[in-house]
Amino acid sequence: MVITAIRADITTLIVDAIVNAANASLLGGGGVDGAIHRAAGPELLHECRLLGGCPTGEARITRGYRLPAKHVIHTVGPVWRGGLHGEPGLLASCYRNSMDLAASSRLASVAFPGISTGIYGYPLELAAPVALACVREKMREHDGVGSVVFCCFSERDLVIYQDLLDAVRLH
Ligand code: AR6
């Protein structure tokens, strides 16, 4: 299993699926969601409309349309409300359900943004360990998903993921 962290715009990545940090309507928004819909084109919104939304913690899959990625896995992260309102469990569900969908769709490579860590306010230094633990657990469970990339928008975010990945490698 290969887990890496890079600094990039997730809409440029050539992978089987990129994950979208969506909202429960699945009808687009700001942040990475807006960037993905702009790059994929209006066909993505059309397919999302047919899905009828997605509850927090769950995930849905669509095609990638004009994106280089073949598919988009849309997941809805929790809004950060201080950490005592079930946020870690819901965030873990986002990563686990996204990985389960990738495996059941026979996808080998997946790229994740920092779900909930932008507009939804989840501190990345608390979210990244949850992301990494869930991805590792699911990669052990499903050997089909061989490659996962944590796609960071800022240098600071990349350092946080790289430090975590280094710590895991040293064990
Ligand atoms: N590529 C990679 N990462 C990105 C990109 C990009 N093009 N753009 C932003 N990020 P956010 P959330 C990073 O706010 O917190 C939307 O309106 C960003 O720096 O996109 O889950 C939805 O519709 C941050 O690290 O998602 C929801 O309403 C991470 O992606 C709401 O925002 C996630 O930030 C979801 O908020």
Side-chain angles (χ1 to χ4, degrees):
M1 83 181 170
V2 181
I3 306 178
T4 51
I6 60 167
R7 185 177 178 194
D9 175 347
I10 203 166
T11 64
T12 65
L13 300 184
I14 304 169
V15 285
D16 289 338
I18 60 172
V19 178
N20 182 17
N23 62 63
S25 76
L26 296 184
L27 300 180
V32 73
D33 194 7
I36 288 172
H37 276 274
R38 274 193 300 279
E43 298 93 338
L44 178 61
L45 183 58
H46 183 257
E47 187 175 354
C48 284
R49 277 211 181 92
L50 304 176
L51 295 173
C54 176
T56 303
E58 294 191 17
R60 303 286 186 268
I61 190 165
T62 64
R63 289 167 54 196
Y65 300 97
R66 297 178 206 175
L67 288 164
K70 287 191 211 110
H71 297 87
V72 180
I73 294 173
H74 307 261
T75 189
V76 183
V79 176
W80 178 258
R81 293 196 289 142
L84 300 176
H85 295 85
E87 297 94 327
L90 288 166
L91 187 68
S93 293
C94 288
Y95 283 93
R96 291 198 185 106
N97 285 324
S98 297
M99 290 293 289
D100 285 344
L101 255 186
S104 61
S105 309
R106 304 197 167 282
L107 309 183
S109 56
V110 179
F112 282 94
I115 296 160
S116 285
T117 67
I119 293 163
Y120 281 180
Y122 205 125
L124 184 74
E125 57 278 17
L126 300 180
V130 174
L132 180 57
C134 293
V135 162
R136 291 183 85 213
E137 168 198 314
K138 287 293 174 182
M139 286 178 95
R140 283 195 213 102
E141 188 180 319
H142 310 293
D143 47 0
V145 188
S147 159
V148 169
V149 177
F150 291 112
C151 180
C152 302
F153 214 39
S154 73
E155 192 60 36
R156 181 187 163 272
D157 291 359
L158 179 62
V159 167
I160 291 173
Y161 273 108
Q162 268 171 347
D163 285 350
L164 270 180
L165 289 172
D166 289 345
V168 163
R169 259 180 224 113
L170 292 174
H171 277 86

